[in-house]
Amino acid sequence: MAIPARRGTAPDSRPAFSVRRTAVGFALAAVLIWGAGTVLRAAWQSAGRHPAVAVVVTAFLVTGAVALLRSRSRRRAACRATAAVTEVTHDLVDTGLAEAAAALRAQDATGPVDYAALDADEFEQAVAGLCERDGCQDVEVVGGAGDLGADVVATARDGRRVVIQCKRYGAENKVGSQDVQRFGGTCFAVHEADVALVVTTGAFTYPALDYADRCGILCVDHEALAAWSDGGTPPPWEAAPPVDDRTGGL
């Protein structure tokens, strides 16, 4: 039985070395190099006189260089692209941190709240906000008709009931003795305050301070309010002394 012969390529199918073929190849390469050099030199000289031609020549050279290097530089280009993406990511993170720090600095630069610029209702809300910030529970703004002197009521962390009257006064007006007396007649007996405060954007007269001291009412003027708001002092109710006589009937 005959076995058909297997067709295949010879172990070495390269053509034999030829001096003539090699010489012709080098001659053609030399002609091509000379011609390309001549064309490029003429184009470059023309480009020096005409900017538009310079752009075309530059684009041609760049395209040729990219075509030659593309196959060899893919891996390096990928590495450069990865490094660029990483750098951009780091820049974004750094930018985010810088923006966050700038926002914090801008917030700090706003300074303390100008309570005197608020109207009466806003001032009561602001004082209630301070109570909530400092840990009070059940904070309510109850000011209005029939409030009997109480504008804000809350429960301190230790369970004491805090009753506050808010006096949004200007620098030329002071909280007088009669204002504090009216509050003193209701804050303990009616509102069952454990801690009673009168908070104002202005100041107190000496008779008002004297009455409040004898009744156990805390007076917070504009300076004390600013220190409380900025966190420079503890909440007023934490420094409140015990009050035995809550009749307020002076």
Side-chain angles (χ1 to χ4, degrees):
M1 178 176 177
I3 300 176
R6 237 179 125 179
R7 294 183 181 180
T9 58
D12 189 359
S13 60
R14 290 177 299 178
F17 176 77
S18 173
V19 176
R20 182 179 177 181
R21 188 182 294 109
T22 302
V24 173
F26 275 115
L28 290 176
V31 172
L32 289 175
I33 293 174
W34 175 83
T38 302
V39 172
L40 289 176
R41 182 173 59 183
W44 187 260
Q45 291 175 352
S46 177
R49 296 187 298 270
H50 303 285
V53 177
V55 174
V56 174
V57 172
T58 302
F60 174 77
L61 293 175
V62 170
T63 303
V66 170
L68 291 174
L69 297 176
R70 181 175 297 173
S71 60
R72 296 182 179 180
S73 63
R74 285 179 180 176
R75 182 176 299 177
R76 287 180 294 178
C79 293
R80 288 195 297 268
T82 302
V85 171
T86 303
E87 183 177 357
V88 170
T89 302
H90 289 166
D91 290 342
L92 290 175
V93 172
D94 293 339
T95 301
L97 293 176
E99 290 178 353
L104 290 175
R105 289 193 297 269
Q107 183 177 357
D108 293 338
T110 58
V113 177
D114 185 6
Y115 292 100
L118 306 178
D119 60 30
D121 293 336
E122 292 171 341
F123 181 48
E124 292 174 3
Q125 294 289 342
V127 172
L130 290 176
C131 295
E132 290 183 347
R133 183 200 69 181
D134 291 338
C136 286
Q137 303 294 323
D138 304 324
V139 181
E140 292 184 70
V141 177
V142 295
D147 59 18
L148 298 177
D151 295 317
V152 178
V153 295
T155 303
R157 291 178 179 176
D158 57 8
R160 289 181 298 169
R161 181 174 173 80
V162 179
V163 179
I164 304 175
Q165 184 177 73
C166 300
K167 292 293 186 182
R168 192 275 180 206
Y169 283 177
E172 67 281 1
N173 296 328
K174 293 184 178 182
V175 179
S177 177
Q178 292 184 352
D179 296 322
V180 181
Q181 287 182 32
R182 283 192 291 270
F183 180 58
T186 60
C187 61
F188 298 120
V190 176
H191 299 293
E192 300 179 343
D194 295 309
V195 182
L197 293 83
V198 178
V199 181
T200 182
T201 54
F204 295 87
T205 64
Y206 287 111
L209 292 173
D210 180 67
Y211 176 88
D213 181 64
R214 286 188 286 167
C215 292
I217 298 174
L218 299 179
C219 294
V220 180
D221 61 11
H222 66 97
E223 293 182 357
L225 174 61
W228 176 22
S229 176
D230 295 342
T233 59
W237 53 85
E238 292 188 2
V243 178
D244 297 328
D245 183 7
R246 295 181 179 177
T247 61
L250 291 182

